[in-house]
Amino acid sequence: GQQLNQSPQSMFIQEGEDVSMNCTSSSIFNTWLWYKQDPGEGPVLLIALYKAGELTSNGRLTAQFGITRKDSFLNISASIPSDVGIYFCAGQLGAQKLVFGQGTRLTINP
Amino acid sequence: NAGVTQTPKFRVLKTGQSMTLLCAQDMNHEYMYWYRQDPGMGLRLIHYSVGEGTTAKGEVPDGYNVSRLKKQNFLLGLESAAPSQTSVYFCASTSYGGEKLFFGSGTQLSVL
């Protein structure tokens, strides 16, 4: 099946630091999405990207749809304790076809 | 709004036992999905439904069956549980074509 390679798999940072993570694929996607999963909960959509090159922000979060349509990036500025969780990228090939990355687990030291 | 509700939240089964996981959504969504989440594997699609009375296979359908008799409910069945089915199961729904999913809080299943 389709594979998304998400990196890094885990991050340990200090509160206040900026965070960067990315997702790459061998396939082209029409849409890229970023979800966050809090402990014990289901993922929640953070940002959706629809066009190659698109840069979209949601508060301290900024995500970009790569020009090649095979990658996407998520940045978190000035991290705070509530940013802790697992971040998933997902690519959409068509209706009902979402492929998820393996996730990036973010841990923040106060 | 309750959103997407999954029951039960936790379950322990013995190999060979059967069980059904229930997903209910109150958002009048057409599309519903069952995913499993395993460490290092992300979320993998088991089965999905694009409307009442319809179901389709996802990426990892073997060992599971589903039914969508009512628009608001999507059931996931394990006829003969195996240890490889130990996982966290998530139900999701959307009114669009698989993009902005709303997830339940998950069911943690252990098969011994």
Side-chain angles (χ1 to χ4, degrees):
Chain A
Q2 300 290 336
Q3 293 281 339
L4 290 185
N5 296 312
Q6 191 171 345
S7 66
Q9 291 188 9
S10 60
M11 301 183 73
F12 298 86
I13 63 170
Q14 296 294 124
E15 183 177 349
E17 289 185 9
D18 296 342
V19 173
S20 292
M21 60 189 78
N22 67 80
C23 206
T24 60
S25 172
S26 57
S27 302
I28 290 174
F29 288 104
N30 299 322
T31 302
W32 280 95
L33 306 113
W34 286 91
Y35 285 83
K36 183 196 175 194
Q37 183 180 26
D38 290 327
E41 298 294 330
V44 174
L45 181 66
L46 296 173
I47 293 177
L49 303 157
Y50 301 100
K51 291 173 56 176
E54 179 181 353
L55 188 70
T56 297
S57 294
N58 179 5
R60 293 177 295 104
L61 278 63
T62 302
Q64 185 165 21
F65 193 141
I67 292 292
T68 65
R69 296 168 64 192
K70 293 183 178 181
D71 56 8
S72 182
F73 307 87
L74 177 69
N75 295 314
I76 305 173
S77 63
S79 59
I80 60 177
S82 62
D83 291 334
V84 165
I86 302 176
Y87 291 80
F88 290 100
C89 62
Q92 186 179 21
L93 297 170
Q96 302 92 39
K97 292 286 188 180
L98 263 188
V99 179
F100 283 86
Q102 308 98 316
T104 295
R105 184 180 295 272
L106 179 63
T107 302
I108 299 176
N109 297 318
Chain B
N1 282 338
V4 179
T5 303
Q6 291 182 234
T7 53
K9 292 188 180 298
F10 303 94
R11 186 71 186 269
V12 178
L13 291 178
K14 294 182 180 179
T15 297
Q17 286 185 318
S18 63
M19 79 162 294
T20 300
L21 281 66
L22 172 64
C23 177
Q25 53 94 4
D26 61 2
M27 296 173 283
N28 201 34
H29 285 166
E30 288 293 331
Y31 305 137
M32 296 187 75
Y33 307 80
W34 276 106
Y35 286 89
R36 60 178 289 173
Q37 183 179 21
D38 302 292
M41 301 289 288
L43 291 156
R44 292 183 293 169
L45 182 63
I46 305 171
H47 286 281
Y48 64 97
S49 168
V50 300
E52 181 178 319
T54 74
T55 62
K57 294 180 179 180
E59 181 184 357
V60 289
D62 294 342
Y64 305 96
N65 57 77
V66 288
S67 64
R68 184 97 180 268
L69 298 179
K70 293 182 179 181
K71 184 177 182 178
Q72 63 268 33
N73 296 337
F74 196 28
L75 278 62
L76 177 70
L78 285 72
E79 290 185 351
S80 180
S84 61
Q85 294 177 305
T86 294
S87 187
V88 181
Y89 292 85
F90 286 99
C91 176
S93 70
T94 183
S95 59
Y96 300 97
E99 172 190 311
K100 297 181 180 178
L101 300 181
F102 290 81
F103 284 86
S105 57
T107 295
Q108 188 166 330
L109 175 66
S110 295
V111 183
L112 307 178

